[in-house]
Amino acid sequence: MTDTTRFAGYGVLITGAARGIGAATARRFAEEGARVLVTDVDVPAAEEAAAGLRELGLTAEAFGCDVGDRASVAAAVQRAVDAFGSLDVLVNNACHCTPDAPLFEDETDDEWAADLDITLTGAFRCARAALPHLAESGRGAVVNVGSVNGLTDFGNHAYSAAKAGLGSLTRTLAGHAAARGVRVNLVVPGTVRTAAWEGREEQLDSMRDLYPLGRVGEPEDIAAAITFLASRDASWITGTTLVVDGGITAVNSGFQEYRRSKS
């Protein structure tokens, strides 16, 4: 059971919140008392997500935000402050992932730049705009959403480099922001059941055998970790990386299976 008061009075801005991890995180914050700005480049989907929360009696608004555009980011941050009176939590969830070319030398500059600009520089833009307001709140927190791709090889060169960079940004920003009373942490999901897997559900479910805990992740698994790091329960945690991946980066399942087959 969630604590319906843990984020009472908090203003929360989440990027890429129209669906998947972002939408689940918006709901979790709202269920725990927060006022949530659901932002996404897909404005109709963001509006639908926010309306769904309001139908549950929760407090949420939608706002179009392209994290690739500084003015759009500034407008979203200002909207959160104007609507809620403060901005206490920023969740950088928006990302962009371009499928790899068959050969590395066929990767284009534009594809590389797109993944880095949205996934990494987008988080930078949002944190830059939000930080003064987070510092003013007295309980500010930034939670960045990374990926196991940023820790080890799961493919996707540009996306993985961007997620690895997000880990570094988390640590350096945590060092800077600590003196201003703002905590900055990173959640690293493994494979999660989101809209990106629509039409490939059988392939997704087959991955459960790769995970020591026997299943792929659900958006709610990641939302729980994000809200923990944003809460006062994590008041002495900053600059950390919380891996939420069913054990896949800790246990080499393929090697273990090979060893069992040879024993």
Side-chain angles (χ1 to χ4, degrees), residues 101-146:
L103 294 175
F104 184 76
E105 57 265 35
D106 294 331
E107 300 280 341
T108 70
D109 287 3
D110 288 345
E111 290 169 340
W112 178 273
D115 281 14
L116 266 69
D117 187 56
I118 299 303
T119 306
L120 177 56
T121 310
F124 154 72
R125 292 187 186 100
C126 291
R128 178 177 59 188
L131 190 56
H133 303 285
L134 296 171
E136 184 177 352
S137 83
R139 56 190 180 190
V142 177
V143 183
N144 296 320
V145 180

Side-chain angles (χ1 to χ4, degrees), residues 52-137:
L53 295 178
R54 291 195 297 272
E55 288 173 3
L56 298 174
L58 306 174
T59 304
E61 291 191 14
F63 196 87
C65 179
D66 176 2
V67 301
D69 181 80
R70 182 174 186 173
S72 181
V73 167
V77 168
Q78 192 59 52
R79 178 57 186 161
V81 173
D82 291 344
F84 307 142
S86 68
L87 179 58
D88 305 283
V89 177
L90 167 67
V91 179
N92 282 314
N93 175 65
C95 67
H96 188 279
C97 182
T98 304
D100 285 340
L103 294 175
F104 184 76
E105 57 265 35
D106 294 331
E107 300 280 341
T108 70
D109 287 3
D110 288 345
E111 290 169 340
W112 178 273
D115 281 14
L116 266 69
D117 187 56
I118 299 303
T119 306
L120 177 56
T121 310
F124 154 72
R125 292 187 186 100
C126 291
R128 178 177 59 188
L131 190 56
H133 303 285
L134 296 171
E136 184 177 352
S137 83

Side-chain angles (χ1 to χ4, degrees), residues 117-237:
D117 187 56
I118 299 303
T119 306
L120 177 56
T121 310
F124 154 72
R125 292 187 186 100
C126 291
R128 178 177 59 188
L131 190 56
H133 303 285
L134 296 171
E136 184 177 352
S137 83
R139 56 190 180 190
V142 177
V143 183
N144 296 320
V145 180
S147 170
V148 291
N149 286 59
L151 302 180
T152 190
D153 179 21
F154 285 92
N156 300 109
H157 303 295
Y159 173 80
S160 298
K163 289 297 191 180
L166 198 54
S168 180
L169 177 62
T170 296
R171 293 183 288 274
T172 57
L173 184 56
H176 169 81
R180 302 170 72 176
V182 178
R183 297 180 301 104
V184 185
N185 290 293
L186 178 74
V187 170
V188 173
T191 305
V192 177
R193 190 185 307 277
T194 67
W197 290 95
E198 286 182 3
R200 297 185 294 155
E201 289 82 5
E202 186 175 341
Q203 179 185 353
L204 176 66
D205 288 336
S206 71
M207 290 185 180
R208 66 179 179 270
D209 295 335
L210 300 174
Y211 282 84
L213 289 181
R215 66 176 177 88
V216 298
E218 301 294 338
E220 292 75 15
D221 295 318
I222 312 308
I226 291 169
T227 50
F228 162 68
L229 286 174
S231 76
R232 289 188 173 126
D233 293 333
S235 63
W236 208 47
I237 300 174

